[in-house]
Amino acid sequence: MMTQSDFKPLLKHGKIFVLDVRNQKDFDDGHIPWAKHIPLSQLGDRLHELPTNLPIIAVCGKGGGRSVEAVAMIPGADWLEGGTDAYFEQ
């Protein structure tokens, strides 16, 4: 798990790849800048779209369930504490 305080500087400097695994409506309602949207239901078929040269941080809403599932499919990936909801609360 990556904390919000560790996440924001890495995002600002382009040092991570943010993968948003929420559904289309939730993504359209607001997402972290530069996030790549791949719904969790499509992730298994779209793993080839992920970079190999940056750490991958999966995000979803507040609960974290979807991002934890996504991380299980991506070796070396991590998930964001509090998800997208916490990102916009700070």
Side-chain angles (χ1 to χ4, degrees), residues 7-84:
F7 174 78
K8 289 185 177 187
L10 295 172
L11 177 67
K12 180 179 178 182
H13 296 290
K15 304 270 185 195
I16 54 174
F17 180 86
V18 182
L19 173 64
D20 192 319
V21 296
R22 298 175 300 152
N23 64 43
Q24 188 67 54
K25 181 189 178 313
D26 290 344
F27 183 81
D28 291 344
D29 286 347
H31 56 272
I32 294 171
W34 306 291
K36 168 79 171 177
H37 181 234
I38 302 177
L40 182 60
S41 62
Q42 299 175 15
L43 184 57
D45 294 329
R46 296 177 62 186
L47 290 171
H48 64 277
E49 296 179 33
L50 303 178
T52 57
N53 63 332
L54 289 172
I56 297 170
I57 306 300
V59 299
C60 60
K62 186 175 270 184
R66 289 173 285 187
S67 58
V68 170
E69 283 186 56
V71 165
M73 293 195 270
I74 308 165
D78 209 346
W79 57 279
L80 180 62
E81 175 186 43
T84 303

